[in-house]
Amino acid sequence: MNNKEKLRKAGLRPTKQRMIIADILLDGINRHFTAENLQNEINSSGNSMSIATIYNCLKKFRNCGLIKQVESSKDTAIFDTNINQHHHFLDEETGELIDIENDEVNLHKLPKIPQGYLNNGVEVLIKIKKQI
Amino acid sequence: MNNKEKLRKAGLRPTKQRMIIADILLDGINRHFTAENLQNEINSSGNSMSIATIYNCLKKFRNCGLIKQVESSKDTAIFDTNINQHHHFLDEETGELIDIENDEVNLHKLPKIPQGYLNNGVEVLIKIKKQI
DNA sequence: TTTTTACTTTAAAATCGTTCTAAACTACTT
DNA sequence: AAGTAGTTTAGAACGATTTTAAAGTAAAAA
Ligand SMILES: [Mn+2]
Ligand SMILES: [Mn+2]
Ligand SMILES: [Zn+2]
Ligand SMILES: [Zn+2]
């Protein structure tokens, strides 16, 4: 399926701007990035785009499940092209995130989901620190 | 140990403002809160404090290990008085966090920590969604 | 194809959480 | 008591993100 079809299937009009972003993000390579990182990549690709449009698109892409947003206490939002359920190593010093594939973690015992709620995904974060 | 001693032990001068905050936060009740939540509690207790001081104190308390900061993709920082290693349920709709004690989760298989790094804490986040 | 409609992009302004500045204040040391 | 190092504060500044509102574009209707 090409990117135009992916956008259509997600219910998004394949505008010029969304196609530029899709060409960068939906290439099958997993990456973690900020809005500013993406703007730099757009610029490097010979295109340009308003930062408002980049935020609009990232929100649409996220809400459609084309990308995810990482839970992070940094003040800049971090997005993730790996949309499979997976986990992360986090170096809190640098903010660097490294993917952990789902099958590398085995949760043996899980607590009961609170009454009236459904499990909507489990994420394991392993904080790591550079050895001294 | 009283709050004055706790602050001293943490290497912090027990100023009037830090004591007010310690009286609210270090009462043994686990809670998740923002800087603004805390300011409201300070006001409710008949005191008042500059928001700059609240941020200063929260940062000091966090760096001393008296409180933790939760990893969250919300744009407002969330702090946690439960400083034990523990886990959370997160309702992504509302942002509500519910503690999961450490012994309610059993991680059977964990990936190898990257070369040159040390494990600095594991956090499990279970996203939950209201049943429809 | 033309027209109409709803949706999208944009630059610029606004917003909002957080940090900085610099002056006044306070806790601790001598 | 005097000195000094650390703390508080109001207000300004900052930086990420959102809003505004006008111009542009894609899809639908005619
Ligand atoms: Mn965040
Ligand atoms: Mn912010
Ligand atoms: Zn990832
Ligand atoms: Zn907690």
Side-chain angles (χ1 to χ4, degrees):
Chain A
M1 188 163 40
N2 64 29
N3 287 338
K4 188 173 275 192
E5 291 170 333
K6 282 184 194 164
L7 290 173
R8 282 235 158 78
K9 194 178 159 201
L12 299 178
R13 285 188 183 178
T15 64
K16 179 163 165 283
Q17 288 79 359
R18 287 175 183 161
M19 286 299 294
I20 291 168
I21 291 179
D23 287 345
I24 292 171
L25 297 183
L26 308 182
D27 64 354
I29 294 171
N30 292 332
R31 61 182 106 188
H32 305 115
F33 63 98
T34 65
E36 196 192 354
N37 294 156
L38 177 58
Q39 191 171 44
N40 290 336
E41 287 206 63
I42 290 166
N43 292 338
S44 299
S45 76
N47 294 288
S48 76
M49 202 175 299
S50 155
I51 193 67
T53 301
I54 291 172
Y55 279 107
N56 288 343
C57 289
L58 287 174
K59 196 178 282 188
K60 292 271 189 187
F61 277 43
R62 166 171 44 78
N63 292 343
C64 291
L66 292 171
I67 61 175
K68 296 213 272 187
Q69 183 171 355
V70 177
E71 295 292 330
S72 160
S73 57
K74 300 199 65 188
D75 55 8
T76 305
I78 299 171
F79 296 89
D80 194 338
T81 56
N82 184 349
I83 57 175
N84 302 316
Q85 170 159 316
H86 69 286
H87 312 291
H88 291 110
F89 289 114
L90 169 64
D91 180 340
E92 292 184 285
E93 293 288 321
T94 64
E96 191 194 5
L97 286 165
I98 302 170
D99 274 0
I100 301 170
E101 290 312 316
N102 201 40
D103 61 10
E104 294 183 70
V105 171
N106 205 321
L107 287 153
H108 204 246
K109 182 184 171 188
L110 273 188
K112 198 161 66 67
I113 304 297
Q115 188 55 245
Y117 285 91
L118 292 171
N119 182 329
N120 196 33
V122 176
E123 286 185 17
V124 176
L125 181 72
I126 304 180
K127 298 187 211 165
I128 57 178
K129 198 166 65 174
K130 273 224 175 61
Q131 241 164 2
I132 33 168
Chain B
M1 186 163 42
N2 64 29
N3 287 338
K4 189 174 275 194
E5 291 170 333
K6 282 183 195 164
L7 290 173
R8 282 236 158 77
K9 196 178 158 202
L12 299 178
R13 286 189 183 177
T15 64
K16 179 163 167 281
Q17 288 79 359
R18 287 175 185 162
M19 287 300 294
I20 291 168
I21 291 179
D23 288 346
I24 292 171
L25 297 183
L26 308 183
D27 63 356
I29 294 171
N30 291 332
R31 62 183 103 188
H32 304 114
F33 64 96
T34 64
E36 195 192 356
N37 296 155
L38 178 58
Q39 190 170 44
N40 290 336
E41 286 204 64
I42 290 167
N43 293 339
S44 299
S45 76
N47 294 288
S48 77
M49 202 176 297
S50 154
I51 192 68
T53 302
I54 292 173
Y55 278 108
N56 287 343
C57 290
L58 287 174
K59 197 178 281 190
K60 291 271 189 188
F61 278 42
R62 166 170 44 78
N63 291 344
C64 291
L66 292 170
I67 61 175
K68 296 214 272 186
Q69 182 170 355
V70 177
E71 294 292 330
S72 160
S73 59
K74 300 198 65 188
D75 54 10
T76 305
I78 299 171
F79 297 89
D80 193 338
T81 57
N82 184 349
I83 56 175
N84 302 315
Q85 169 159 318
H86 69 286
H87 311 290
H88 292 108
F89 289 114
L90 169 65
D91 180 341
E92 292 184 286
E93 292 288 321
T94 65
E96 191 193 7
L97 284 166
I98 302 170
D99 273 1
I100 302 169
E101 291 310 317
N102 201 40
D103 62 8
E104 295 184 70
V105 170
N106 204 322
L107 287 153
H108 203 246
K109 181 184 173 188
L110 273 187
K112 198 163 65 67
I113 304 297
Q115 188 56 244
Y117 286 90
L118 293 170
N119 182 329
N120 197 32
V122 176
E123 286 184 18
V124 175
L125 181 74
I126 304 181
K127 299 188 211 166
I128 57 178
K129 199 167 64 175
K130 273 223 176 61
Q131 242 165 4
I132 34 166

